[in-house]
């Protein structure tokens, strides 16, 4: 078992290195190319502006997860809801109302979101070190990635340089966030509009589930002999990602209507089968790739938007 686990980890490490190399190569592509990343989004964006940024985020996330074990699950869902509507621009964090009196975080699909306080805590410390420099959207993406790693999930590289939106999108959130009991055709359509294929949709699908205030978003993917499922502490002690969720779907035991429908669609069923038959390597690799892609979706860069001083409020 020991040698098998080391072999699997070696394969996974190789695949992650390939992912990093591929993303780094793409980062040099002409910004106008559909295959390239957004203009001015790059590795080390803050190296000459706030060089300790990623160390600060990692340190704060370690403390947060130690104190609140479900923090990674909450941030995963928070980031998904932010990025899926209008792109990764921290619009869901805003408490300020638009001119029509609406605010995105109060849309029905967002009313159960949590984790805002974690981003505020990290932002406060970063503002002490580098005032007015680091965007809330970058903090959310970095903190989510670190939470995944702290939960036993795969590391994936994150580009930085995002700017924060000056508005929120209540109506879009009401209409375009995939519903837990939604039709699979509509779910695939909504993901496709954002550039995600069927396999990427299957890899990310748990993130949009309407989960309770525990680690269900992650715990269905986690495997650890010492998981305390009664208290929902699996995220704090997990050591590896598991494909239990997909094996459950193969047995026809999807928790939600949308989950069950994955096996009724030829392409999504093929992805579920692939994720279910190995020891989690395929899932972890494709999940990492999909999360990296999600974090780059629809971002504001350059002179667009602003860098908020407070993640809940506009600067003026």
């Amino acid at each position: 078992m020991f040698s098998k686990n080391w072999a699997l980890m070696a394969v996974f490490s190789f695949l992650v290195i390939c992912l990093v190399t591929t993303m780094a190569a793409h980062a040099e592509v002409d910004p106008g190319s559909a295959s390239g990343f957004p203009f001015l989004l790059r590795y080390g964006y803050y190296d000459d502006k706030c060089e300790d940024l990623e160390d600060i985020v990692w340190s704060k996330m370690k403390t947060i997860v130690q104190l609140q074990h479900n923090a990674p699950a909450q941030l995963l869902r928070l980031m998904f809801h932010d990025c899926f509507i209008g792109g990764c621009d921290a619009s869901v964090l805003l408490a300020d109302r638009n001119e029509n009196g609406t605010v995105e975080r109060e849309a029905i699909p967002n009313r159960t979101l949590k984790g805002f306080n974690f981003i505020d805590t990290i932002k406060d410390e970063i503002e002490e070190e580098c005032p007015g420099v680091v965007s809330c959207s970058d903090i959310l993406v970095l903190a989510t990635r670190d939470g995944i790693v702290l939960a036993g999930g795969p590391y994936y590289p994150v580009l930085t340089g995002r700017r924060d939106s000056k508005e929120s999108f209540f109506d879009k959130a009401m209409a375009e966030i995939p519903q837990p009991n939604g039709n699979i055709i509509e779910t695939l359509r909504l993901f496709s509009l954002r550039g995600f294929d069927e396999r990427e949709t299957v890899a990310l699908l748990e993130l949009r589930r309407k989960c309770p205030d525990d680690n269900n978003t992650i715990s269905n993917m986690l495997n650890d002999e010492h998981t305390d499922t009664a208290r929902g502490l699996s995220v704090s002690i997990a050591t590896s990602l598991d494909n239990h969720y997909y094996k459950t779907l193969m047995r026809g035991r999807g928790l939600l209507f949308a989950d069950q429908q994955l096996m009724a669609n030829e392409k999504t069923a093929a992805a579920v089968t692939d994720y279910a038959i190995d020891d989690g390597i395929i899932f972890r690799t494709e999940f990492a790739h999909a999360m990296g892609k999600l974090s780059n979706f629809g971002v504001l860069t350059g002179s667009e938007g602003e860098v908020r001083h407070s993640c809940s409020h506009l600067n003026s």
Side-chain angles (χ1 to χ4, degrees):
M1 179 62 70
F2 180 80
S3 59
K4 179 181 178 183
N5 288 339
W6 268 104
L8 290 173
M9 288 305 298
V11 172
F12 178 70
S13 298
F14 172 75
L15 292 171
V16 169
I17 290 170
C18 290
L19 172 65
V20 174
T21 303
T22 301
M23 291 184 71
H26 282 181
E28 301 300 323
V29 174
D30 180 354
S33 169
S35 63
F37 289 117
F39 180 58
L40 294 183
L41 205 61
R42 64 178 188 268
Y43 296 115
Y45 179 85
Y46 295 105
D47 284 354
D48 60 346
K49 307 176 184 70
C50 189
E51 62 179 358
D52 294 329
L53 167 63
E54 296 203 26
D55 290 337
I56 294 172
V57 175
W58 175 257
S59 176
K60 293 300 293 183
M61 279 303 300
K62 284 179 64 177
T63 301
I64 287 169
V65 172
Q66 287 171 354
L67 295 174
Q68 192 150 345
H69 305 293
N70 56 356
Q74 294 177 357
L75 288 176
L76 265 168
R77 189 161 176 254
L78 184 62
M79 177 187 151
F80 176 81
H81 281 235
D82 180 52
C83 294
F84 208 78
I85 301 300
C88 301
D89 58 5
S91 59
V92 77
L93 302 181
L94 280 172
D96 296 334
R97 298 189 177 277
N98 294 322
E99 292 181 358
N100 62 4
T102 62
V103 58
E104 184 178 331
R105 66 196 286 178
E106 292 181 1
I108 291 174
N110 293 338
R111 290 180 182 175
T112 56
L113 292 177
K114 298 180 184 297
F116 299 96
N117 56 319
F118 304 140
I119 301 302
D120 289 339
T121 296
I122 298 171
K123 174 67 169 175
D124 288 345
E125 179 146 340
I126 292 172
E127 283 295 300
E128 289 285 330
E129 184 78 15
C130 317
V133 172
V134 181
S135 68
C136 299
S137 49
D138 275 341
I139 293 171
L140 177 56
V141 169
L142 288 168
T144 300
R145 190 273 309 278
D146 288 353
I148 289 171
V149 174
L150 288 166
Y155 173 90
Y156 55 92
V158 170
L159 305 176
T160 47
R162 296 166 189 77
R163 304 265 292 180
D164 300 324
S165 176
K166 293 183 179 181
E167 60 180 327
S168 64
F169 306 99
F170 176 88
D171 291 338
K172 286 187 177 181
M174 288 290 292
E176 298 183 21
I177 292 178
Q179 298 301 305
N181 293 314
N183 183 282
I184 187 61
I185 301 301
E186 175 64 9
T187 297
L188 290 174
R189 185 187 73 83
L190 291 170
F191 275 87
S192 177
L193 288 173
R194 290 154 176 83
F196 293 94
D197 63 22
E198 290 87 351
R199 292 187 71 88
E200 292 165 336
T201 300
V202 173
L204 291 173
L205 202 54
E206 283 195 290
L207 305 189
R208 67 93 179 96
R209 292 173 58 191
K210 185 178 180 182
C211 55
D213 184 20
D214 58 26
N215 287 320
N216 284 359
T217 305
I218 297 180
S219 63
N220 285 335
M221 301 186 287
L222 292 174
N223 176 42
D224 187 276
E225 295 179 357
H226 308 291
T227 296
D228 187 348
T229 54
R231 297 179 59 197
L233 299 185
S234 53
V235 79
S236 67
I237 53 180
T239 57
S240 63
L241 280 173
D242 186 83
N243 52 2
H244 173 75
Y245 168 71
Y246 302 100
K247 290 179 178 179
T248 298
L249 290 181
M250 292 285 289
R251 294 194 295 268
R253 296 173 56 189
L255 299 178
L256 301 172
F257 177 65
D259 296 330
Q260 296 166 356
Q261 289 186 89
L262 289 177
M263 296 306 296
N265 178 282
E266 181 179 354
K267 291 185 177 180
T268 57
V272 170
T273 301
D274 286 346
Y275 294 161
I277 61 175
D278 78 336
D279 291 324
I281 298 297
I282 295 176
F283 168 68
R284 287 171 65 93
T285 303
E286 295 195 10
F287 174 76
H289 172 76
M291 284 299 298
K293 182 174 178 177
L294 177 66
S295 70
N296 296 327
F297 174 69
V299 301
L300 303 175
T301 59
S303 60
E304 299 174 309
E306 65 182 8
V307 174
R308 290 185 213 139
H309 301 300
S310 167
C311 291
S312 300
H313 303 286
L314 299 173
N315 290 343
S316 59

